[in-house]
Amino acid sequence: MSPTLNKVARFEDLSIERGTRVCVKAGDDAKEIPILLVRDGDDVRAYTAQCPHAGGPLDEGAICNGRIVCPWHKGTFEVRDGSLVEPPPLKALTRYEATIRDGDVYVSAQAIDSGDVSKKQTNASRTMLVVGAGAAGAAACSALREAGFDGRIVLAGDDAREPYDRTSLSKFTLAGDMPPDEVPPLLDDDFFAKHDIERIESQAVRLDPKEKRAELANGQKIEYEAALVCTGGVPKPLDIPGAELEHVHLLRTREDARAILASLEGCKHVVIVGASFIGLEVASCLRKREIDVTVVAPGKTPFAKQFGERIGEMFRSLHEKNGVTFHMNARISAFAGDGAVSEVILDSGGKVAADVVIAGTGVEPATSFLSGLALADDGGVNVDATMLAAPALYAAGDIARFPLPRSDQRLRIEHWRVAQQHARVAAYNMAGSAREYVGVPYFWTFHYEKTFDYLGHVEKPDSIKIDGDLDAQHFIAYLMKDGRVGAVIACEHDTAVCRLAEAMREPLTLDDARRVANA
């Protein structure tokens, strides 16, 4: 029996710049299903209206370069078939039948394609090893099957049981908005079993690319045809007297978040070490709990390296208006307390009360287990545009020092969406489909219910052009380098950022970028 088609719109009313959200029912008593209608030339496509990553409303995003861009985290899908282009979603859009009759659009409430990677019979004669079970590891497992690899896949790492969204810890968990156990997984619960992916909850202690063999902490040895190393970073240790006291924390994992939440019971004063993205996101969370927060950091202005002094001062002002105290150009000489920390001693001799200390001082590449591979000066792994580090060995994410597209830079970027982009490129190459990283780096940071988007990358911009009201956190800032837009930072301009995320795949002048943003 053919599915029932529901008349939902006039074709001529559909925008070519963004999708149109409609709702249909499978029956009189059925729940309404939100569906996104998208114009594709003289045809219409119908997909789920919510991004499979976090439920972002795709109708509030944009259509650019034949792609649908999610407004929340810039996940990207092809208009023609809903297939995945860019993470953080790790599967395609659910597809629905759609047709045009006499200028009217009709849609079925019955999905014809769930967007899941198709299941293939596994051929265990070939082994792909993914070392590291964070954002990149999850993306690689999905992409290997998506690319058609039907051999054995092994995912090894401490989080292999359930790779999860670590970014939620500093943005939502410490505010009490998302308990640690509710931090969402990166893949569906049945994904690993459905696609015959082995998960080993053990870290690699040695990997030799010449031998094509990895040894795990649990004693297992795995020989591979190709391997992806995406072990991320390890927090830089606090080499400060008193760092062993109770209630002095790092934040990297769910377990870290649980320990911090336990320490916050009855807490009045928290000191955050370092004005990093994680550090200031945590400050925002804790102010929501009405806890006194002091930030101690060595630099003059938060985020000045990434965004420049003026935008960095805007972030500092935003935090100060919300009650955060800053000690900039300062360092901590010791933590003091009887068993548990009670105060922080500054290098100036000043003292700050501290019931809890949280360090956000950055990470170092987790690469010490690699054998016979020359590392970069910072411990990173040099890769080419295919993410290849050595024959049959790929690297992605925080550890990868990669060539930035459309520039002469080679750098590491410690943000999870870039890690997922890298991993998908590496996985396709491992599966035999040639790809290069040509994406636009992107990350977002969250402070006091405001989302700040950052596209591209530039070091020491020649100038910064700001459109909008910086103090009101309603702006687009263009970071210029050699007459081109090297990066964009924006707040409350979701649709413009969606368009720019695609447009910045090509070099843009300031006028070009403004035309795209204001289209």
Side-chain angles (χ1 to χ4, degrees):
M1 181 182 296
S2 299
T4 301
L5 293 175
N6 304 269
K7 185 168 72 172
V8 292
R10 291 287 295 173
F11 180 73
E12 65 184 6
D13 294 334
L14 302 183
S15 171
I16 62 173
E17 296 177 351
R18 63 198 305 172
T20 300
R21 183 186 180 103
V22 298
C23 290
V24 298
K25 287 186 177 183
D28 291 341
D29 298 327
K31 183 180 178 181
E32 287 192 333
I33 300 171
I35 290 177
L36 185 79
L37 302 180
V38 180
R39 288 185 64 155
D40 184 13
D42 294 329
D43 292 325
V44 63
R45 311 294 181 192
Y47 303 110
T48 178
Q50 296 173 310
C51 180
H53 165 238
L58 295 175
D59 55 300
E60 296 179 15
I63 295 174
C64 187
N65 290 345
R67 290 167 177 166
I68 304 164
V69 186
C70 175
W72 284 5
H73 309 111
K74 311 307 172 281
T76 310
F77 310 87
E78 292 286 2
V79 163
R80 69 178 184 275
D81 60 5
S83 58
L84 176 62
V85 179
E86 292 282 15
L90 298 180
K91 66 178 182 179
L93 296 176
T94 300
R95 199 156 49 93
Y96 296 85
E97 182 181 348
T99 189
I100 304 169
R101 297 176 187 166
D102 299 325
D104 292 320
V105 178
Y106 290 80
V107 174
S108 168
Q110 182 177 337
I112 57 176
D113 187 342
S114 68
D116 292 328
V117 177
S118 59
K119 187 182 186 318
K120 295 178 174 65
Q121 185 68 36
T122 303
N123 175 0
S125 63
R126 303 166 64 201
T127 296
M128 297 294 175
L129 174 63
V130 179
V131 181
C141 289
S142 177
L144 280 166
R145 290 293 186 236
E146 180 186 306
F149 178 71
D150 63 355
R152 180 188 181 209
I153 300 176
V154 178
L155 176 67
D158 287 343
D159 294 328
R161 182 177 59 84
E162 184 193 45
Y164 59 90
D165 182 356
R166 286 182 180 169
T167 67
S168 297
L169 301 177
S170 61
K171 291 175 170 70
F172 308 117
T173 297
L174 295 190
D177 296 332
M178 184 183 291
D181 291 336
E182 294 181 13
V183 172
L186 295 172
L187 293 164
D188 294 341
D189 293 341
D190 63 350
F191 178 87
F192 294 99
K194 184 176 179 180
H195 296 286
D196 299 318
I197 295 172
E198 298 176 40
R199 291 177 287 175
I200 304 175
E201 290 185 69
S202 183
Q203 291 181 323
V205 294
R206 184 175 182 273
L207 187 150
D208 190 328
K210 291 182 180 178
E211 297 176 359
K212 293 187 179 180
R213 177 188 301 164
E215 299 176 16
L216 306 184
N218 65 2
Q220 284 185 260
K221 295 185 171 120
I222 300 172
E223 295 184 352
Y224 59 80
E225 180 176 306
L228 170 63
V229 177
C230 47
T231 41
V234 291
K236 293 178 181 177
L238 281 174
D239 188 17
I240 299 172
E244 74 286 352
L245 291 169
E246 290 185 24
H247 306 322
V248 176
H249 299 280
L250 300 172
L251 176 59
R252 185 69 175 169
T253 66
R254 270 184 179 147
E255 289 66 34
D256 295 335
R258 289 191 185 99
I260 292 171
L261 288 170
S263 294
L264 293 178
E265 294 295 327
C267 169
K268 294 181 179 179
H269 306 285
V270 172
V271 169
I272 295 174
V273 185
S276 63
F277 289 107
I278 287 178
L280 293 194
E281 286 179 350
V282 168
S284 175
C285 285
L286 299 184
R287 288 303 300 141
K288 190 170 183 177
R289 290 174 170 269
E290 298 185 350
I291 295 172
D292 288 340
V293 176
T294 300
V295 174
V296 180
K300 177 184 174 184
T301 307
F303 309 155
K305 180 180 178 181
Q306 295 86 353
F307 302 149
E309 292 285 340
R310 187 176 173 194
I311 296 175
E313 286 293 345
M314 178 273 294
F315 276 99
R316 175 171 177 167
S317 176
L318 174 62
H319 278 270
E320 288 178 332
K321 288 176 182 176
N322 283 275
V324 175
T325 300
F326 284 85
H327 288 279
M328 300 301 292
N329 288 322
R331 296 181 183 275
I332 295 172
S333 61
F335 302 114
D338 185 10
V341 68
S342 61
E343 65 181 8
V344 168
I345 302 172
L346 305 180
D347 55 1
S348 63
K351 297 180 180 180
V352 180
D355 303 311
V356 173
V357 170
I358 301 172
T361 52
V363 299
E364 298 173 338
T367 54
S368 61
F369 65 94
L370 293 172
S371 175
L373 184 68
L375 300 177
D377 291 343
D378 62 357
V381 178
N382 289 311
V383 298
D384 64 16
T386 70
M387 312 313 298
L388 186 69
L393 181 69
Y394 296 80
D398 292 8
I399 69 170
R401 180 168 288 278
F402 68 100
L404 184 69
R406 299 164 294 277
S407 82
D408 59 359
Q409 297 181 68
R410 178 177 286 274
L411 72 167
R412 289 191 309 109
I413 294 180
E414 298 170 354
H415 296 293
W416 76 302
R417 203 259 196 164
V418 174
Q420 291 181 311
Q421 289 177 313
H422 286 175
R424 286 180 56 80
V425 170
Y428 267 81
N429 283 297
M430 292 164 73
S433 297
R435 283 197 178 185
E436 292 188 353
Y437 177 66
V438 294
V440 178
Y442 166 78
F443 76 89
W444 65 292
T445 186
F446 191 68
H447 307 255
Y448 308 104
E449 310 303 318
K450 296 240 184 194
T451 296
F452 298 85
D453 295 304
Y454 184 74
L455 284 170
H457 182 88
V458 65
E459 294 180 357
K460 298 180 179 178
D462 299 329
S463 63
I464 300 175
K465 307 297 184 181
I466 298 173
D467 294 345
D469 190 335
L470 194 64
D471 293 333
Q473 293 86 52
H474 191 285
F475 67 92
I476 302 178
Y478 302 95
L479 281 63
M480 306 300 299
K481 189 73 172 181
D482 299 327
R484 303 288 183 177
V485 176
V488 169
I489 177 170
C491 185
E492 297 191 351
H493 283 277
D494 291 342
T495 302
V497 172
C498 287
R499 289 194 290 262
L500 287 164
E502 278 299 310
M504 287 175 67
R505 290 175 180 271
E506 300 293 337
L508 294 180
T509 65
L510 179 60
D511 287 342
D512 291 336
R514 282 172 167 163
R515 276 193 293 270
V516 170
N518 297 320

